[in-house]
Every structure is written in C-alpha cells, then in structure tokens.
C-alpha cells in the first residue's frame, strides 16, 4: 500500500509544480470531496429517503438548495481559491514540502490529531465571538439562513466568516509546516467532518454513537435550530469545550427530556 501511494506521489511531483499541487491540487481535492459528500444529502431530503433518521421534519425548498450551491461556487472560486494562492508563500516559509520521502503514518496521524484539537479550540472561541450581536447580524447570520442545515450549508457563510474561521483550519498546519500529503489528508477529514455535522441526519452508524467526545450532526443541528443568543454548541468537532464552559446546557437538558420521554413510552407499552 505504501509503495502504491509513493508511486502515485512520485507521478504528481514529477508532472506538476509545488505551486500547482499546493494551490490548484488542493482546490480540486477540496471541491471534489466537498460536493461528492454533500450532494447526496440534498438527494435524500428531496426524495424523502431515510427520513426516519432526519433530525428535523422540515425540509429545504429546491430553490433554497440551489441558492446555496450557486453561492458556494461563487465563494469558492472568488474567495477560497485566491486565499489558497495567496497563502502558498506563507506555508512554504513555514516548512511545507511536497518532496519525497513521504512522512510516516505516525507523523501524519500525530499532526492531524493536533490539527483537530487546535482547530476545535480556536473555532470554539471564534464561533462564540461571531454570536455577539453585531457580528451575528452583519456576518454570521448568513450561515444561519438555513435553520434546517444540509451537508453543503457547512461552507455557506459570509466571506468575512470564511476568512475568520478559516484561520482555525490553517493555524495548525501553519505552525507545523507539514508535508503536502498530510495537509491534504487533514483537509479531506475536516471537510467530511463539517459536512457530516451539517447533514441533518443522525444515523445508527454516525460517529457520535461510537466516539463520546465527537459532536456530530445531532449536536450541531441543535445550534442551528435556536436563536443566536441561546444556541450554544459552538465547537466544530468535539464537545468538551462546550462542556467545560457550560455552553451545551440547553442541549444536554433536551437530551435528558427526550430520554425520559422515551423511557415513559416504553413503560406504557
């Protein structure tokens, strides 16, 4: 397996420049993973499939879904791509490389875990700041146009928010100066995580059923349903920051009430 990956990487670095791989390659990879993982949830919602796993009964209209996709393409090409190109010299300066040898899986996994933890910490505080009155009204309210989120709404946001919270995603790699393959793996996992958190479905196979510290769709869907002053659940991936600072109390109370209601129903049966 390692030799296959190394051979494929050799082909890439032989036929494309560092700039092409780090900027255009990263952009293409991001768009592919984002839309391929997010579009199926639009299909599920329109067709009504797996509706018993849908967190909210309300559905988005086709017009609202199409508006989201149109805006996303505009933001991705006019904000994300230029940002990737502008940040390339910074990442090179911080030590990012694409040459052989590839880093070991131990190094890759350690760095990616560090990125998740650091991103979650920075995102939590940045997200809380965005829920202050002025910033919510003028910036973050764009993301909350969708009270019933679906996968692609994860990146539907004001351009200023894309830059502001995008910092949380890139600060870890900027600190460590990773190999490009590590950066790509981090980007893929982060995209899949945020799409899942906004998908609007809680499945039996959802990660939050197996990983106690993982938030997932049910955790973040609660955040979208409530008023900005009462929502809580500000973390991106994990739940411990909200638990530590008491910003998940409403969500926890709701979980207890639902559990008690289910228990009462079972006793009646």
């Amino acid at each position: 397996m390692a030799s296959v990956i190394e051979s494929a990487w050799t082909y890439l670095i032989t036929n494309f420049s560092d700039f092409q791989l780090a900027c255009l390659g990263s952009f293409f990879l991001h768009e592919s993973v984002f839309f391929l993982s997010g579009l199926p949830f639009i299909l599920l919602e329109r067709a009504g499939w797996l509706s018993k796993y849908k967190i909210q009964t309300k559905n988005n209209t086709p017009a609202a879904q199409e508006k989201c996709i149109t805006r996303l393409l505009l933001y991705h090409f006019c904000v994300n791509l230029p940002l990737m190109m502008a940040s390339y010299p910074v990442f090179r300066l911080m030590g990012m490389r694409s040459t052989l040898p590839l880093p070991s899986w131990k190094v890759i996994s350690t760095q990616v875990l560090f990125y998740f933890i650091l991103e979650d910490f920075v995102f939590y505080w940045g997200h809380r700041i965005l829920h202050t009155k002025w910033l919510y009204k003028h910036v973050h309210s764009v993301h909350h146009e969708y009270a019933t989120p679906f996968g692609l709404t994860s990146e539907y946001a004001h351009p200023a928010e894309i830059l502001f919270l995008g910092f949380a995603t890139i600060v870890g790699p900027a600190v460590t100066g990773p190999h490009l393959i590590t950066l790509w793996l981090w980007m893929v996992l982060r995209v899949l995580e945020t799409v899942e958190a906004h998908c609007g479905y809680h499945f039996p196979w959802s990660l939050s059923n197996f990983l106690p510290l993982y938030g997932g769709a049910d955790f973040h869907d609660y955040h979208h349903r409530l008023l900005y002053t009462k929502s809580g659940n500000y973390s991106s991936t994990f739940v411990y920051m909200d638990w530590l600072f008491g910003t998940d109390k409403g969500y926890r109370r709701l979980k207890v009430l639902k559990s008690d209601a289910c228990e009462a129903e079972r006793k009646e049966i």
Side-chain angles (χ1 to χ4, degrees):
M1 182 64 177
S3 60
V4 173
I5 295 173
E6 190 166 301
S7 297
W9 196 261
T10 301
Y11 173 83
L12 289 176
I13 61 176
T14 301
N15 291 277
F16 301 96
S17 68
D18 281 353
F19 178 81
Q20 289 173 325
L21 291 173
C23 298
L24 302 180
S26 297
F27 181 75
F28 176 77
L29 180 63
H30 172 275
E31 297 302 287
S32 300
V33 174
F34 178 70
F35 282 104
L36 287 174
S37 62
L39 284 171
F41 292 107
I42 289 182
L43 179 61
L44 287 180
E45 191 172 62
R46 289 190 180 186
W49 297 334
L50 301 177
S51 58
K52 67 178 180 178
Y53 300 121
K54 198 169 186 304
I55 299 168
Q56 297 186 49
T57 55
K58 179 184 176 183
N59 288 330
N60 292 283
T61 64
Q65 294 171 337
E66 289 161 13
K67 173 189 173 184
C68 177
I69 294 172
T70 303
R71 290 277 185 91
L72 282 170
L73 290 171
L74 177 66
Y75 292 158
H76 285 182
F77 279 94
C78 297
V79 180
N80 292 13
L81 181 57
L83 184 61
M84 286 181 179
M85 297 174 71
S87 61
Y88 172 74
V90 178
F91 275 94
R92 289 289 295 174
L93 185 65
M94 298 300 289
M96 186 191 74
R97 65 180 183 87
S98 59
T99 55
L100 293 173
L102 297 176
S104 67
W105 283 110
K106 182 178 179 180
V107 170
I108 293 174
S109 58
T110 300
Q111 289 186 336
V112 169
L113 178 61
F114 170 69
Y115 300 159
F116 267 113
I117 294 171
L118 182 59
E119 189 276 340
D120 200 63
F121 178 84
V122 176
F123 185 96
Y124 174 85
W125 291 110
H127 196 183
R128 282 193 69 171
I129 291 170
L130 285 173
H131 274 262
T132 55
K133 187 174 182 179
W134 191 91
L135 283 174
Y136 184 88
K137 179 180 179 181
H138 296 283
V139 179
H140 194 48
S141 59
V142 173
H143 181 65
H144 278 268
E145 285 179 19
Y146 292 90
T148 306
F150 53 94
L152 295 182
T153 60
S154 57
E155 295 191 4
Y156 181 87
H158 191 285
E161 180 175 342
I162 295 172
L163 297 173
F164 186 56
L165 291 183
F167 173 76
T169 302
I170 67 172
V171 63
V175 168
T176 63
H179 193 282
L180 183 59
I181 199 170
T182 306
L183 186 64
W184 280 3
L185 178 61
W186 159 238
M187 181 175 63
V188 167
L189 293 176
R190 179 71 181 102
V191 167
L192 292 175
E193 181 277 321
T194 193
V195 167
E196 194 271 340
H198 289 81
C199 74
Y201 291 82
H202 184 70
F203 301 110
W205 55 85
S206 295
L207 279 178
S208 55
N209 293 327
F210 307 101
L211 301 177
L213 293 179
Y214 183 80
D218 187 62
F219 185 80
H220 193 69
D221 199 275
Y222 175 87
H223 175 82
H224 275 263
R225 295 200 301 271
L226 270 68
L227 291 172
Y228 79 95
T229 54
K230 300 178 180 179
S231 56
N233 290 20
Y234 299 114
S235 299
S236 60
T237 303
F238 306 113
V239 300
Y240 63 88
M241 287 292 290
D242 282 285
W243 178 79
L244 284 172
F245 293 97
T247 47
D248 65 346
K249 290 180 180 178
Y251 173 72
R252 297 299 171 195
R253 281 196 295 268
L254 180 63
K255 295 283 283 184
V256 171
L257 289 173
K258 284 184 175 180
S259 178
D260 290 345
C262 289
E263 184 64 28
E265 286 180 7
R266 281 196 294 268
K267 288 180 178 179
E268 289 178 3
I269 294 172

